[in-house]
């Protein structure tokens, strides 16, 4: 679970609630039709812009920003080096029994192909195509959040214009002008909050998450290709460690020395 | 037909109508001259920016976002694999009779060239040039919607400025100030609705639709080249399946195993 | 002449005039100093940003968007195929007499070089350099219109600020506030109209026009190189037709079959 | 000296002064603290963003947009062709005496290296590295003006917010509201004028100026390489003339015929 | 320490304080809840968008813009040339004793690898991967400041909307409208100040700082590769000097002549 996102979202909501309570009562800020205009309008525009199936993947996209487990690249490299050692010592077929202990499906399928004696080029092509598919799926998920994040403030402004026209066409009772204008501004407020508190941060997080996953998949591809080629485990390690920042790499080096 | 776009557009219109009825009567939001300024102005600017022929393709572009049938890439790959099997078993000339059963004209023309014994490089060049033309036509259609989507809010603001100047030059009767301002804001509202409810979502949809069509055309080109080269149907399938996300691919693999 | 641009500009002006007449009298919208601020300011900024010679090419740029004749690529390809037939039948020197019938100077200079026996690589380099120069000149023209289109709304806003400060520093007579504010808003209106009704559509048109011209020059370069190499006219045609959308190409194919 | 920039700047200032005098007295537009907020704020932000040395190069950057002499590429090509003729006739060492007549230091250093018998590849690498350095210095100068042009309107808005808060917290005397608001708007006006009248046009000019200088340096590099290789002066000319638009090139061709 | 950033930040704060004191008392501009909304909101959104570890690197990022020492590239080149002389005179192993005098860790590790007789290609790969990691870490730090700089004005606007709704729903006492509106505008002011006075200049500075560091690391990589290859120190110097602007290079040349 990604604690940072949860903390950020809760902190933002608490702060905004506090800000509202400072200035007045909560009731002036609650308005069901305004919620409908902003969330409904942004949803309608996004449905019109995307295929239905992709739109309905939205809850999964939200979940992904919070609950997706991240792979530690150093641990992953350790595992790949171990597999390389076994393959070198006992032959590549010995890896067949290891796949049960490996959790990452992408890595399992790669090792399986190596064990099956698939042509190295074919292994690489298949694994890279899957990586590209993964990146496109991530991009599509981020695109959904970006679209919602663009349409929410737009429909916030549309709601405010609708409210202003209603208020201005009906100014018989001057005492209601303030309340009318306050209600009109609420949709702009909702749109801005929805975009800046939730949608845009989550879209950015999704982008970072995608980068991490692409990194670990790239390490796996390099690792499987090295294992298949029967590289020396030491070389596999130093090759893969270049993907990791030097601070983490040095610690690893000590570990290797001790091993 | 693309249900999502229709649902999104209808949902958006229903929501906005509802939002308007909440706040006042529908009449205050209807204003023929305002419609004229926004739609007319955006249309005039777009006509000035594009050749007439392209501008008149606009209804076709609108239709395309809703009614264009999408090709299922997995079904397409199945069909290509079948054709590859026939070509392998009975010779490439046997495909001549099959073209009647194939609906995709692009695929038919590709197979026809292969049957005619056209040079593979020529086939590839011709098919790729047609794909490029297709992408440019899509880009042009999307450009039209993007232009309208940029000009509509601009003329909405222009209409509001015209209305504000009219109101401000004529403030003898203070009771009419509200109504004048309401009328002035209507064009901004129209421009924002036109852009965010219709034009921008459709432009985005058109982009996604284009990507899908490019994908299926790319699969067809690869497939025709493989059929022409007399590749093993199994290899054709595994080669083409790399264009499809793994979830769909696995299902296909089972199917192949069962076949 | 480009009818679409003329129609779009006239339609836009008629619509805006109509919109103004709906709301009030024309007089409130006419204000010489406001015209001066917007057009003068945008012009001054553009003069400061560009060399004088390029700024004075502005009328030519305007003319170009409306009056430049477009070359029909299909007719151009026909002409190139005819020239290829003559060169093949009567030798490349026979083209010397044909150049008088060819209108496109770029094509004439290309054929002349081929007739003179210039080295093919030199011909290609010279023609491509001229094409690059053409694209840069177009880009420069479009840059001028883009600059004006950015500065016009900026000086519109500056004029409004100047007007507002004047009005606010002098509020002794409340009855004049409305008129002062109306006058202040006029410059914003002028800037927005100038940009969205004229400058931005013309800049976009210029971009499309440039693309068309680049396309026909590219076809000419390919054609001259093929003629110089003595290619079979049929191959020349099929090679050049790949630059044209398939619908136009099919018609041409029929024509070729009939020839 | 670049007349266009001077004319543009003066024209803009005259027009704005005129616009101000139309609406009121000059005094309402002069406000020392407002000048301080906008210019001081934009300066402070730019100092914080750039190293001190680069910030202090600002006056030199301003001077450069107005006073830098432009090199006529056709005259430059003529000079290079003359040098090529001398080198061909009297040997490359004969150029040693010519360098005193050449003004462009970049060209002098290039010829000097050729005379010294430096390896051609080394000459090219050194001259191209200097060209890259030149482009980076230009880019840095343009970056300074762009930064100021972004920060000036931002601090204009900040000044207006400060003024509005002051006015709104102190509304005991309603007769002063107008004057307070006018003063508040002045900073926005200053920021917009500074950016659109001066900073953005000069930044754009600097970009064009850089392109010209890069062009002439590129011609010099090509020329020196050709002279070093002992190319035929005619070939040097036709090779270098491709960098110049055809209209200028044709005149040159006549000149060459007459020579 | 980077004096320019410190001067710029202090100058900006002094100017803004002065601007505030000109217009009114400082008290009207101090408002704890407004500070909370802007800083808290922007922080919450940034926490939600980034992993916790990266968010907590923010103070280090701030420090880096001010306190990071810059490497003088000319001094660095001198040092590399000295090392090249020693390596040439006394053999590469003689450098082992020199590493204690070298401060740059990146250079030390490079020399160490050369002394250890590591394969040149491996040295280059390892050093370049570390450079890429460095650039990504810089990019990440700049991304944090950019995010904060985007979210701060957004939450400033959100705070103003919250304040306006509070004021408008509660207009019983007209004398409080001014104060309410002033308070509402404060968050927009805070957001604009935070972004334009601090966050955006620091983000820009960080980008420039990164470029400098990349330059010196690139020089080091080139230098170590030259030392490893046993290049002539003179050639090492002229090769590395191409990374430095010519003015600095000429001085260096004199120095070399005198040496």
């Amino acid at each position: 679970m990604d604690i940072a996102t949860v903390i950020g979202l809760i902190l933002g909501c608490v702060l905004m609630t506090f800000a509202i309570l400072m200035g007045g009562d909560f009731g002036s800020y609650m308005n069901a039709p305004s919620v409908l205009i902003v969330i409904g309008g942004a949803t309608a525009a996004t449905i019109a812009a995307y295929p239905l199936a992709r739109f309905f993947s939205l809850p999964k996209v939200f979940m992904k920003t919070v609950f997706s487990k991240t792979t530690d690249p150093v641990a992953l490299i350790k595992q790949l080096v171990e597999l390389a050692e076994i393959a070198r010592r006992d032959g590549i077929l010995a890896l067949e029994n290891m796949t049960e202990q490996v959790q990452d499906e992408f890595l399992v399928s790669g090792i399986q192909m190596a064990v099956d004696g698939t042509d190295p080029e074919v292994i690489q092509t298949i694994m890279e195509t899957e990586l590209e598919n993964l990146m496109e799926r991530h991009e599509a998920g981020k695109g959904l959040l970006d679209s919602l994040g663009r349409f929410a403030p737009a429909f916030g402004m549309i709601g405010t214009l609708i409210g202003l026209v209603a208020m201005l066409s009906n100014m018989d009772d001057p005492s209601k002008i303030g309340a009318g204008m306050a209600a009109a501004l609420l949709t702009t407020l909702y749109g801005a909050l929805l975009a800046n508190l939730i949608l845009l941060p989550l879209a950015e997080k999704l982008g970072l998450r995608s980068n991490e996953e692409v990194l670990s998949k790239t390490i796996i591809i390099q690792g499987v290709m090295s294992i298949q080629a029967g590289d020396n485990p030491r070389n596999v390690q130093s090759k893969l460690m270049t993907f990791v920042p030097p601070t983490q790499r040095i610690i690893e080096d000590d570990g290797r020395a001790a091993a």
Side-chain angles (χ1 to χ4, degrees), chain A:
Chain A
M1 204 177 93
D2 193 329
I3 296 254
T5 302
V6 178
I7 293 175
L9 293 180
I10 292 174
L11 181 62
C13 294
V14 168
L15 274 166
M16 292 306 119
T17 311
F18 170 80
I20 285 168
L21 292 177
M22 286 294 296
D25 61 318
F26 213 78
S28 338
Y29 292 91
M30 290 292 102
N31 186 282
S34 299
V35 173
L36 205 68
I37 294 176
V38 175
I39 298 193
T43 305
T46 306
I47 290 179
Y50 284 90
L52 265 194
R54 200 179 292 180
F55 177 78
F56 283 125
S57 71
L58 196 58
K60 230 169 73 186
V61 169
F62 273 113
M63 285 299 104
K64 191 170 184 88
T65 56
V66 179
F67 289 110
S68 82
K69 66 177 199 311
T70 58
T71 317
D72 173 18
V74 173
L76 178 64
I77 293 175
K78 275 189 184 169
Q79 192 175 35
L80 285 164
V81 172
E82 278 176 36
L83 292 172
E85 279 168 359
I86 295 170
R88 230 191 171 206
R89 210 177 43 219
D90 309 329
I92 199 157
L93 292 181
L95 292 180
E96 186 128 42
N97 311 316
M98 301 300 296
T99 52
E100 283 159 31
Q101 297 167 36
V102 178
Q103 288 189 334
D104 191 302
E105 280 186 35
F106 187 68
L107 176 50
V108 170
S109 81
I111 293 174
Q112 194 58 54
M113 284 190 286
V115 169
D116 290 353
T118 314
D119 188 63
E121 269 186 38
V122 174
I123 299 181
Q124 188 156 14
T125 307
I126 287 175
M127 292 185 92
E128 279 172 358
T129 313
E130 284 200 40
L131 179 55
E132 272 165 39
N133 274 306
L134 182 98
M135 286 164 77
E136 265 168 42
R137 279 199 309 276
H138 286 181
E139 203 53 50
K142 191 172 182 304
L144 259 181
L145 289 180
D146 283 331
S147 270
L148 278 171
R150 267 200 316 274
F151 283 124
F155 280 91
M157 195 196 77
I158 286 172
T160 296
L161 285 167
I162 291 177
L164 283 178
V165 171
M167 181 205 84
L168 288 164
S169 331
N170 214 326
M171 302 211 302
D172 303 332
D173 181 356
S175 75
K176 285 189 172 167
I177 292 180
M181 208 161 204
L185 286 181
L186 275 185
T187 54
T188 296
L189 175 59
Y190 288 176
L193 279 175
L194 205 61
N196 290 292
L197 208 57
I198 303 178
L199 297 168
L200 299 182
L202 290 192
E204 197 146 350
K205 171 73 95 186
L206 216 62
L208 293 172
R209 183 66 31 101
S210 174
N211 288 350
E212 285 173 15
E213 211 166 324
V214 167
L215 178 71
S216 68
K217 297 293 188 248
T218 308
I219 291 175
I220 288 176
I221 293 178
Q222 289 277 332
V224 168
M225 297 319 292
S226 292
I227 291 171
Q228 195 278 340
D231 285 0
N232 181 319
R234 254 179 173 258
N235 292 350
V236 175
Q237 168 153 326
S238 52
K239 206 166 164 188
L240 297 183
M241 276 298 170
T242 56
F243 288 100
V244 177
T247 46
Q248 298 179 23
R249 218 181 305 161
I250 288 162
I251 295 170
E252 225 21 57
D253 282 351
D254 292 357
R256 185 179 56 173

